[in-house]
Amino acid sequence: MEATDLIVLTPAGCLDPSPAIAACRAGARGTLDLQFTDDLNRAVAATHRLAAFAGPRFGIKLGSNAKARSLANLEPAWVILPGTSIGEIPTLREAGIEVLIEAVSLPEAIEAAGQGADGIILKGHESGGRVGSDTAFVLIQKWRQYAERGRVSLPFWVQGGIGPNTAAACLAAGARGVVLDSQVFLARESPLGEPLRKRIPSLDGSETAIFGAKLGEAYRIYSRADSAAAQELLKEEERLFAAELPAEQKLAAWRKAVRSRVAIDPTEGLWLLGQDVACAAGLAARGTTVAGIVQHICDRANHNLDAARRTRHLAAGSPLAQSHGTKYPILQGPMTRVSDTAAFADSVASGGALPFLALALLRKAETEKLLAETKKKLGKKPWGVGILGFVPAEIRAEQLEAIRQHKPPFAIIAGGRPDQAKELEAQGIPTYLHVPSPGLLKMFLKDGAKRFVFEGQECGGHVGPRASFALWEAMIDVLYEHIGGKPADGLHVVFAGGIHDSLSATMVAALSASLAEKGVKVGLLLGTAYLFTKEAVTGGAITARFQKEALACGETLLLESGPGHAIRCIPTPYAEAFEDEKRKLKSQGKNPLEVGIALERMNLGRLRVASKGVDRAASVNGNGNGLAAVSDDEQFRRGMYMIGQVAALRNEVTTVAELHAEVCREDKLPAASLVVQRDKPADPPPCDVAIIGLSCFYPNAGSLWTYWENILAKKNAVVEIPPSHWDWRLYYDPDPRARDKMISKWGGFMGDTPFDPLKYGITPKSIPN
């Protein structure tokens, strides 16, 4: 990666081009963001300033308003347009301007390619401003699949969750480069005010939220209560959603509501902020300036790619695989109502990975039966249990009693604490902790925990707030700080969320390579990918109908049971039933906790309908408390199909062995063939420069030739302070601790210079003696 591969955007709602100027001078693609600008005079002035100080290679980003398009007449080298303005491509290209389209979805990217765009910016869900439902990690994979099928070779950049390590992941996937925005908020050239600069180091990306998705255009915005504009916009969203207006009218009003409020500071308006703001403080500490940050990202990304090729730390027989006693560094993530059969666990273990049973809310008798059966079936093959750290104390006590009795070789705790892990570790059970935030990771490391799972929002089932790229970049930064120059000391790190094949594993290998160099044992956790294996059905993990729906899945949705609690699943009739039940509970005056508990209980029952094809007999035929079979159509109508975003990327059934081999294919780990090969830019034409004169005036050299002769003679012009200036003996003392004294008596001093004032039109009386 070179500086030319990075696009640096100025903050939305600000017309100070300083970051873009600095980026252009560093060789990057500095771009002035004008998409929310209505004041054309100020926009033109800002663009002229950018052109004056950045040189001919600068860019501007325009919005969908026709008024701003006239700014393209200012002759930028490139223009970035949103996917809503693809129709402007031909006009700009005819003017000789390179056009990049900011696509928040695969359809936008495909349309841009068809309309002749010069390049695509894949903008992930974690970015600030207008976004789609796919994260950067998933959007890259979707574009690569499409490009390979259609033989499209259009260059692409990636925006969202970008830092030095995820930049390497993008390059490994074939990206031309990456886009920086909030990452340079704390650079020296940033136009942000001092109060906001002081606040940014405490932000970790969880302060943002999505607005407007139900109106047809989503925006990620700083959403804390101290932003009055964000609270106003939320009310406007609800008002428009409830209004009886055509969808086009609602969308137009929504866009206007957003546009009119955008500002560079949350105290002044809407602050379009991405989750990658968490990178800003660390990058500023390492790079200081925009140029320094650009160089640091290039250096780390290039180093990571080289390290990934050398270490092969996600191949068969890797350090983490050896630690687990498995062939591959793969963990099968515990999936509620899915990975709860010994037969399926055995197929995963036989395929060379580490399987985990999901205990969820199983009571003592069910837990003991499942553990005993699995222990017997797997024999000496490694396996583990997945438990929830937040289950009721009574259930946890029952599960722990069964675990103590059967001693599974490994454990994973979701929503747990280091003390819970230590309790299992004390029984000889190595235990992984799911960690959803950098703040918690710092605490867990301080408490002595050493095994972690970093699972991004792309996963199926319960999801955290952070997309994989944003989460992984922040976590790697924390681990770097923790390790420092010390040995890794037994650290095991597993990446999860959106991983299912060789391309996704390639990206993880690239972003995690520097950790592997430091001795950290790195692995992958797969969940959704197993739903596409033959063994998932034959082993009783899911029904054939579940797999059929997984194969047909083109998108997922999130069902929110409460603030901060959401489940990713396939859009089915259950989604409507879920929302109906939530409205009913709220209308009954239930508090948020009661609503959440009731919905979670309903989810568990509907999960069983979808994955096992059975339900409580009372629900099926109105009598009895056992389980009764549910027909295929009833499974689909009433079931909840938990699944991750990678479901949209898979459309064929495979085997567990084939899946593992594909994920850890050594020939697909970061190799030079995956990194885009750029044509070397042509050398700029020579400049016509005429030297019309030389002059200088230095100590002991009143002319150019005297100065040159002094250089050739190696003459030292530094002397003791001459008496004509002042008596240095009154002020000099060689002791640096002496008060009110100076410790040097040397300097370079100009001699007397004859000056004829009349020659310059100055009367002698105007010059003091």
Side-chain angles (χ1 to χ4, degrees), residues 123-129 136 158-164 166 179-185 200 203-208 220 272-283 466-467 469-471 473-474:
K123 187 178 183 186
H125 180 73
E126 60 269 61
S127 302
V158 182
Q159 182 176 0
I162 300 300
T166 49
V179 179
L180 307 181
D181 45 25
S182 63
Q183 294 92 333
V184 298
F185 275 179
I200 286 176
L203 304 181
D204 63 8
S206 63
E207 303 83 4
T208 66
R220 184 174 291 279
L272 305 183
L273 187 69
Q275 292 183 339
D276 37 33
V277 70
C279 300
L283 287 172
R466 294 171 182 80
F469 268 11
L471 176 67
E473 186 66 50

Side-chain angles (χ1 to χ4, degrees), residues 589-757:
K590 304 287 186 183
N591 62 45
L593 179 60
E594 292 172 325
V595 171
I597 291 174
L599 291 174
E600 289 294 343
R601 285 175 177 164
M602 184 170 76
N603 287 339
L604 281 173
R606 298 301 183 90
L607 277 170
R608 181 173 51 224
V609 172
S611 62
K612 306 303 184 188
V614 296
D615 197 5
R616 293 289 180 192
S619 302
V620 177
N621 53 33
N623 55 63
N625 293 317
L627 297 175
V630 178
S631 68
D632 276 13
D633 289 343
E634 190 73 1
Q635 289 172 33
F636 176 74
R637 188 180 69 82
R638 298 182 57 238
M640 178 185 187
Y641 294 81
M642 288 203 313
I643 207 163
Q645 285 190 311
V646 300
L649 296 162
R650 302 193 70 90
N651 53 22
E652 294 180 354
V653 176
T654 184
T655 67
V656 166
E658 291 169 345
L659 173 65
H660 293 166
E662 165 68 11
V663 168
C664 293
R665 278 177 60 185
E666 288 196 59
D667 63 316
K668 294 285 283 189
L669 292 174
S673 61
L674 272 178
V675 183
V676 171
Q677 301 298 314
R678 299 177 304 275
D679 294 330
K680 185 178 180 181
D683 293 332
C687 298
D688 295 328
V689 177
I691 299 175
I692 60 174
L694 292 171
S695 181
C696 66
F697 182 40
Y698 287 114
N700 207 22
S703 69
L704 174 66
W705 290 110
T706 305
Y707 177 60
W708 180 239
E709 289 169 356
N710 287 345
I711 292 175
L712 294 178
K714 299 181 180 180
K715 187 174 180 179
N716 188 357
V718 176
V719 298
E720 286 188 354
I721 301 169
S724 58
H725 285 63
W726 70 84
D727 187 354
W728 58 267
R729 293 170 297 181
L730 300 175
Y731 309 101
Y732 173 75
D733 193 310
D735 184 358
R737 294 169 295 183
R739 297 184 61 182
D740 301 325
K741 296 291 184 179
M742 63 182 187
I743 61 171
S744 175
K745 57 181 179 177
W746 304 90
F749 301 92
M750 304 297 184
D752 292 336
T753 304
F755 178 71
D756 182 3

Side-chain angles (χ1 to χ4, degrees), residues 20 22 31 67 79 264 343 366 403 516 524 587 604 721 723 733:
T31 304
K67 191 177 179 182
V79 167
I264 193 175
E366 296 171 299
I403 289 171
L524 308 169
S587 68
L604 281 173
I721 301 169
D733 193 310

Side-chain angles (χ1 to χ4, degrees), residues 344 347-353 530 533-536 654-661:
F344 178 62
S347 64
V348 173
S350 299
Y530 285 107
T533 62
K534 295 176 182 177
E535 293 88 344
T654 184
T655 67
V656 166
E658 291 169 345
L659 173 65
H660 293 166

Side-chain angles (χ1 to χ4, degrees), residues 529-544:
Y530 285 107
L531 302 176
F532 295 84
T533 62
K534 295 176 182 177
E535 293 88 344
V537 175
T538 58
I542 58 174
T543 65

Side-chain angles (χ1 to χ4, degrees), residues 72 114 130 134 161 171 218 229 276 345 419 449 480 530 582:
R130 189 179 75 97
D134 288 327
L171 292 185
D276 37 33
D419 62 296
Y480 252 77
Y530 285 107
K582 183 159 65 172

Side-chain angles (χ1 to χ4, degrees), residues 317-330 348-355 380-383 409-410 432 451 492 521:
S318 73
L320 184 129
Q322 294 177 32
S323 173
H324 289 169
T326 58
K327 179 178 180 181
Y328 299 108
I330 297 175
V348 173
S350 299
L354 177 59
K380 294 183 178 181
K381 285 178 278 194
W383 58 282
F410 293 91
Y432 284 89
R451 295 174 184 265
H492 290 60
K521 295 178 176 63

